[in-house]
C-alpha cells in the first residue's frame, strides 16, 4: 500500500501525485519507471518516475488522464492509497558524461525529460530544454527544468513562449551546432519529428517509448517494439532506445490495439459516474 | 474394514471416473472442469491400490510422495491420517493433484496399469488435499523450534512455495520476494481458473503464511534489490524466478495487433481477470477465430481460454502429431471435448495482416515426420509447396519460454549455462556459496511438479548446508 502524500494539477489533464515508496525513492535512476495497480481489478500500467525525494520516501508520478485507469488514478486524493507499485523498472537513461545535451519534452513527456535533465546536470553536462504544449496552460515542469539549465517554451498557439512546435525550436538550435546528444520524450508524432531532424545531422538521439505493458519484467512481451529491425521488449531492453533505429509506425500502431475496448471502458465509466452508481474505489 | 478386503476383490473394482462439468456448458465459462471425487468414489478407488511393498509409484513422483500410505489411510476412512501423510511429503497437494502429469509419473508405474487402468492417484491426492482445507483444524502441523537461520526465496511459483513450506517446517525463517502483485507465479498468471481455481492457490499460500512464511509482493530482484544486497541480509538464497521470457517464432508479421505470447494472453486473463472486462479494467482481444501455435500444456490452456472468451473457432496449430504433443493427456481430452480443432503437422511461416496491421491469418506449411531429434521425437520436415492460410484474427504463440535475464544480468558472478539458465551443482548450489537455484530458471521451461521437486530437494540441501555452517546462531 502506497499513500498519496500530495496532489497537484499541472495542466488541464495532467496531474502529479507524490506517493510513498521508500525503496524506489532511494534507488531510482533517470529513465526508470514503475508499474502501478491502483486497486483490486485495476489495470497494471507503467508510469515514469518524474522525481523522487529519498528523505521523504516519496516518488512523483505524473499522469495524463486519458482512459479509465488514468482517470481513476487522478481521482485519488492525499491520504488515499495505491495498492501496488513495483519497481524501479527498466534500464536507466544512457546519460552522456560531458558536453551539451538538448532535452526535448512534449506534453506529459516533459515529466519523463525532467529526471533525465536532472541526471545530466548532476554529471556536469550543460542542459538546454525545449518543452511544449498546445497553449500556456498545457506547459508543465518549466520551473523544475529551469534548475538544470536554459528552458525554451513553445506553444502551438503562441499564448506563451514562442509560437510553434518544439521541433521548430530544436531545428534552429541544432543548426547552430554544439549539441552532443538529444533526449526527446513526448507523443509518438513528436518523437518521430525530432528524429527526422536529428538523423540527417547525425546527432545521437535517445527517445523513451511508452507501449502497452502488463508485468514490466519481460515476462509477457506485450511491449514489443522494433529497434533496428530487431524486436525488443521496452520494459527490460528500454524504455529508452536510439531514436534513429525505432520503428515509430509500429509503436503508434500497437498503441491502438485496445482502442475499442478503451472506449467501451470509458463509456461505461462515464455512465456509472453520471448515475452515481460506481465511484472510483479509493480502497 | 479395508484389512479384510482381498487382492482378488481389489482387482474386481474398476477405476472410478472423475466427475466433470458438462463439456458444452463449460466451454463458455471459467469454472473448474473436474469436480472432484465424492467420498464414496474415493473410498472405492483407494481400495484398488494393491499396497505394493516396493511401490514404484513413489519412485515415479518427483517429490517422492508415499502414495500407498496415504491411499491406505483413505481406504481405512482416516482422512486426517491421509492428509497428514500427504502433506508431510508434499507441501502443495491440492495443486499437484490438479496439474501433475500423473500418467507419465506415478500412475505409469502403477502395477494395476499392466492389466487395465492404474489407480487414480492424482484424483485421490486432490480429494485428500481438498478435504484438508475443510478440516484444517484436524491436521495442525507441529511447530518447529526456530534455528535463527534466514532464507530468501526469489519467486513464489511452485518451486519457491514448495521450498518455503519445507524450510519453515525445519524451523528456518523464510521471506519470499515476488515480482508481481499476487503470489503464486505461473500458478496464478499461467494456469487458468478452469484447471486450477485461484482460491486453491490462495489457500495454499495462506497456509504457508500461517506457518510463518513472509511474502513480499511487487519486489523485482535485480531491480528493487540486487542479489548482492540479499546475500548480506540472508544466510541462504533460493532463486526460483522461473523461465519468464516468452519465445516468438521470428516470422514476418509477429508484431501485428492480435499476436500474443501465451504468457501475455494467459496473464491478461488469469492474473488480470480480463475475462471480466469491462468490470475488470484489463482488456483482451477475444478473437472470433483464434489460432494457438504449440502443443504443450500452455498451448492447451491458451486455446481452451480462447474458447471460453467466445471464439467460435479455436484451434491448435502443431508441427508434429498428437502422439508427440507434450501436453497432459487429460488436457488434450478436455480440449477435444470442448470442440477445439487440431491442425497437426503444420508449421506457421508468416502472420498475415490487413493494411492497418491487424491479424487476418496464419500462413502455414504442411509437415511430415522425419528422423528423431535430440528429444527422441521425430522431427517435422516441411513439404514443399504445401502452403496454406488459416484464417484467424488472434494468434497466440505458445512455443515455450526461456530464462528471464532480468536477475542474472545484474549479477555477473552467477554462472549460467549456454541457454542462459543458472548453472547448479548436484545439490542445486550455484557458483555463489549459499545461493541455490531450481525450477525453470535452471531447467528451462518444464513442469510444476519438477519445479516442486527442485524446491523440496533444495530446501533439504539448504538445511544440510546450515548444519555444516558453525556455529548455529541460536545455539
Amino acid at each position: 500500500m502506497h499513500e498519496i502524500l500530495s496532489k497537484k494539477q499541472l495542466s488541464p489533464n495532467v496531474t502529479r501525485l507524490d506517493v510513498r515508496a521508500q525503496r524506489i525513492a532511494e534507488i531510482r535512476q533517470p529513465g526508470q519507471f514503475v508499474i502501478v495497480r491502483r486497486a483490486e481489478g485495476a489495470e497494471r500500467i507503467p508510469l515514469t518516475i518524474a522525481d523522487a525525494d529519498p528523505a521523504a520516501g516519496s516518488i512523483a508520478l505524473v499522469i495524463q488522464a486519458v482512459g479509465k485507469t488514468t482517470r481513476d488514478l487522478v481521482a485519488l486524493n492525499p491520504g488515499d492509497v495505491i495498492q501496488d507499485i513495483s519497481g524501479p523498472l527498466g534500464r536507466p537513461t544512457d546519460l552522456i558524461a560531458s558536453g551539451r545535451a538538448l532535452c526535448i519534452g512534449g506534453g506529459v513527456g516533459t515529466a519523463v525529460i525532467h529526471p533525465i535533465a536532472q541526471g545530466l546536470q548532476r554529471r556536469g553536462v550543460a542542459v538546454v530544454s525545449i518543452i511544449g504544449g498546445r497553449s500556456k496552460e498545457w506547459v508543465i515542469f518549466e520551473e523544475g527544468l529551469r534548475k538544470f539549465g536554459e528552458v525554451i517554451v513553445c506553444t502551438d498557439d503562441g499564448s506563451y513562449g514562442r509560437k510553434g512546435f518544439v521541433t521548430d525550436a530544436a531545428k534552429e538550435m541544432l543548426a547552430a551546432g554544439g549539441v552532443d546528444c538529444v533526449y526527446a520524450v513526448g507523443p509518438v508524432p513528436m518523437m518521430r519529428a525530432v528524429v527526422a531532424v536529428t538523423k540527417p545531422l547525425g546527432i545521437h538521439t535517445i527517445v523513451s517509448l511508452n507501449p502497452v505493458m502488463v508485468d514490466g519484467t519481460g515476462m509477457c512481451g506485450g511491449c514489443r517494439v522494433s529497434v533496428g529491425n530487431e524486436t525488443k521488449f521496452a520494459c527490460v531492453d528500454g524504455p529508452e532506445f536510439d531514436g534513429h533505429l525505432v520503428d515509430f509506425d509500429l509503436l503508434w500502431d500497437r498503441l491502438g490495439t485496445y482502442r475499442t475496448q478503451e472506449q467501451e471502458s470509458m463509456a461505461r465509466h462515464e455512465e456509472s459516474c453520471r448515475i452515481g452508481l460506481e465511484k472510483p474505489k479509493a480502497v | 474394514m479395508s484389512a479384510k478386503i482381498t487382492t482378488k476383490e481389489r482387482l474386481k473394482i474398476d477405476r472410478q471416473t472423475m466427475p466433470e462439468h458438462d463439456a458444452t456448458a463449460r466451454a463458455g465459462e471459467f469454472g473448474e472442469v473436474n469436480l472432484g471425487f465424492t467420498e464414496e468414489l474415493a473410498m472405492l478407488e483407494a481400495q484398488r491400490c494393491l499396497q505394493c511393498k516396493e511401490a514404484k509409484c513413489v519412485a515415479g513422483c518427483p517429490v517422492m510422495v508415499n502414495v500407498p500410505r496415504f491411499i491406505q489411510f483413505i481406504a481405512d476412512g482416516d482422512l486426517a491420517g491421509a492428509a497428514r501423510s500427504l502433506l508431510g511429503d508434499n507441501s502443495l497437494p491440492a495443486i499437484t493433484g490438479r496439474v501433475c502429469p500423473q500418467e507419465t509419473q506415478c500412475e505409469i508405474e502403477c502395477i494395476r496399469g499392466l492389466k487395465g487402468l492404474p489407480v487414480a492417484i492424482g484424483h485421490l491426492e486432490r480429494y485428500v488435499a481438498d478435504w484438508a482445507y475443510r478440516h484444517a483444524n484436524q491436521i495442525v502441523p507441529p511447530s518447529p523450534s526456530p534455528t535463527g537461520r534466514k532464507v530468501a526465496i526469489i519467486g513464489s511459483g511452485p518451486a519457491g512455495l514448495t521450498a518455503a513450506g519445507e524450510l519453515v517446517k525445519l524451523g528456518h525463517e523464510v521471506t519470499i520476494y515476488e515480482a508481481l502483485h499476487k503470489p503464486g507465479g505461473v500458478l496464478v498468471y499461467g494456469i487458468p481458473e478452469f484447471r486450477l481455481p485461484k482460491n486453491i492457490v490462495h489457500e495454499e499460500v495462506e497456509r504457508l503464511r500461517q506457518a510463518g512464511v513472509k511474502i513480499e509482493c511487487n519486489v523485482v530482484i535485480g531491480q528493487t534489490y540486487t542479489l548482492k544486497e540479499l546475500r548480506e541480509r540472508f544466510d541462504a538464497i533460493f532463486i526460483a524466478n522461473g523461465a519468464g521470457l516468452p519465445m516468438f517464432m521470428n516470422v514476418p508479421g509477429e508484431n501485428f495487433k492480435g499476436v500474443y505470447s501465451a504468457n501475455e494472453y494467459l496473464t491478461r486473463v488469469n492474473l488480470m481477470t480480463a475475462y471480466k472486462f469491462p468490470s475488470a479494467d484489463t482488456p483482451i482481444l477475444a478473437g472470433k477465430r483464434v489460432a494457438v501455435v504449440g502443443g504443450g500444456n500452455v498451448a492447451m490452456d491458451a486455446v481452451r481460454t480462447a474458447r471460453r472468451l467466445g471464439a467460435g473457432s479455436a484451434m491448435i496449430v502443431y508441427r508434429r502429431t498428437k502422439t508427440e504433443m507434450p501436453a497432459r493427456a487429460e488436457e488434450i481430452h478436455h480440449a477435444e471435448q470442448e470442440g477445439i480443432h487440431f491442425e497437426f503437422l503444420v508449421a506457421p511461416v508468416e502472420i498475415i495482416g490487413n493494411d492497418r496491421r491487424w491479424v487476418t491469418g496464419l500462413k502455414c506449411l504442411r509437415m511430415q515426420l522425419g528422423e528423431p531429434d535430440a528429444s527422441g521425437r521425430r522431427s517435422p520436415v516441411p513439404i514443399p509447396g504445401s502452403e496454406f492460410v488459416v484464417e484467424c484474427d488472434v494468434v497466440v504463440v505458445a512455443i515455450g519460454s526461456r530464462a528471464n535475464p532480468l536477475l542474472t544480468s545484474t549479477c555477473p558472478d552467477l554462472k549460467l549455462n549456454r541457454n542462459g539458465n543458472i548453472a547448479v551443482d548436484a545439490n542445486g548450489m550455484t557458483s555463489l556459496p549459499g545461493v541455490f537455484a531450481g525450477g525453470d530458471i535452471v531447467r528451462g521451461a518444464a513442469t510444476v511438479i519438477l519445479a516442486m521437486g527442485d524446491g523440496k530437494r533444495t530446501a533439504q540441501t539448504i538445511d544440510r548446508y546450515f548444519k555444516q555452517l558453525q556455529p548455529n546462531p541460536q545455539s
Side-chain angles (χ1 to χ4, degrees), chain B residues 251-288:
Chain B
V251 300
E254 219 160 8
N255 290 332
F256 285 158
K257 291 170 292 196
V259 183
Y260 285 107
S261 73
N263 274 2
E264 182 183 2
Y265 191 72
L266 291 171
T267 300
R268 283 181 177 272
V269 177
N270 300 331
L271 178 72
M272 306 310 297
T273 62
Y275 63 93
K276 295 179 185 163
F277 182 88
S279 296
D281 292 344
T282 303
I284 186 144
L285 300 172
K288 292 186 178 70

Side-chain angles (χ1 to χ4, degrees), chain B residues 28-283:
Chain B
E29 55 169 61
F30 280 82
E32 195 176 11
V33 170
N34 283 344
L35 301 174
F37 273 173
T38 59
E39 187 177 351
E40 193 190 357
L41 289 175
M43 292 285 278
L44 266 171
E45 187 62 34
Q47 286 171 12
R48 295 183 66 228
C49 175
L50 301 182
Q51 293 295 317
C52 303
K53 286 275 178 294
E54 281 175 35
K56 287 185 170 174
C57 51
V58 181
C61 172
V63 297
M64 303 277 279
V65 167
N66 189 329
V67 174
R69 188 178 63 194
F70 92 80
I71 291 185
Q72 185 60 52
F73 277 118
I74 305 176
D76 291 344
D78 179 2
L79 288 171
R84 275 190 293 268
S85 169
L86 181 58
L87 282 163
D89 294 334
N90 176 358
S91 303
L92 311 169
I95 293 171
T96 49
R98 286 171 167 84
V99 304
C100 258
Q102 289 92 4
E103 71 271 16
T104 61
Q105 293 178 163
C106 51
E107 293 183 17
I108 198 175
E109 303 287 352
C110 178
I111 202 86
R112 294 225 39 187
L114 292 178
K115 272 174 94 179
L117 295 170
V119 173
I121 300 169
H123 296 343
L124 288 173
E125 178 181 41
R126 171 192 159 144
Y127 176 75
V128 173
D130 289 357
W131 182 92
Y133 284 133
R134 297 191 303 272
H135 303 86
N137 54 338
Q138 294 184 36
I139 44 163
V140 181
S143 39
S145 49
T147 63
R149 297 282 190 199
K150 287 190 201 162
V151 186
I153 297 178
I154 304 171
S156 66
L161 291 179
T162 305
E166 297 295 323
L167 287 164
V168 285
K169 263 192 237 168
L170 296 164
H172 306 306
E173 202 182 307
V174 178
T175 306
I176 303 183
Y177 294 102
E178 167 56 47
L180 292 169
H181 58 262
K182 216 174 251 175
V186 74
L187 305 171
V188 297
Y189 76 73
I191 302 177
E193 182 75 19
F194 55 80
R195 195 148 80 83
L196 178 64
K198 299 303 152 243
N199 66 339
I200 300 278
V201 183
H202 178 74
E203 289 194 58
E204 296 276 26
V205 167
E206 279 314 301
R207 196 168 57 201
L208 290 177
R209 277 202 173 114
Q210 273 159 27
V213 174
K214 277 182 255 168
I215 304 180
E216 286 192 34
C217 289
N218 297 315
V219 177
V220 184
I221 303 301
Q223 299 279 125
T224 317
Y225 295 95
T226 61
L227 189 63
K228 190 164 169 274
E229 286 171 298
L230 289 193
R231 289 183 79 196
E232 284 159 12
R233 286 168 41 208
F234 292 89
D235 302 302
I237 292 163
F238 179 45
I239 306 174
N241 58 346
L245 191 75
M247 296 200 327
F248 285 92
M249 299 182 285
N250 293 318
V251 300
E254 219 160 8
N255 290 332
F256 285 158
K257 291 170 292 196
V259 183
Y260 285 107
S261 73
N263 274 2
E264 182 183 2
Y265 191 72
L266 291 171
T267 300
R268 283 181 177 272
V269 177
N270 300 331
L271 178 72
M272 306 310 297
T273 62
Y275 63 93
K276 295 179 185 163
F277 182 88
S279 296
D281 292 344
T282 303

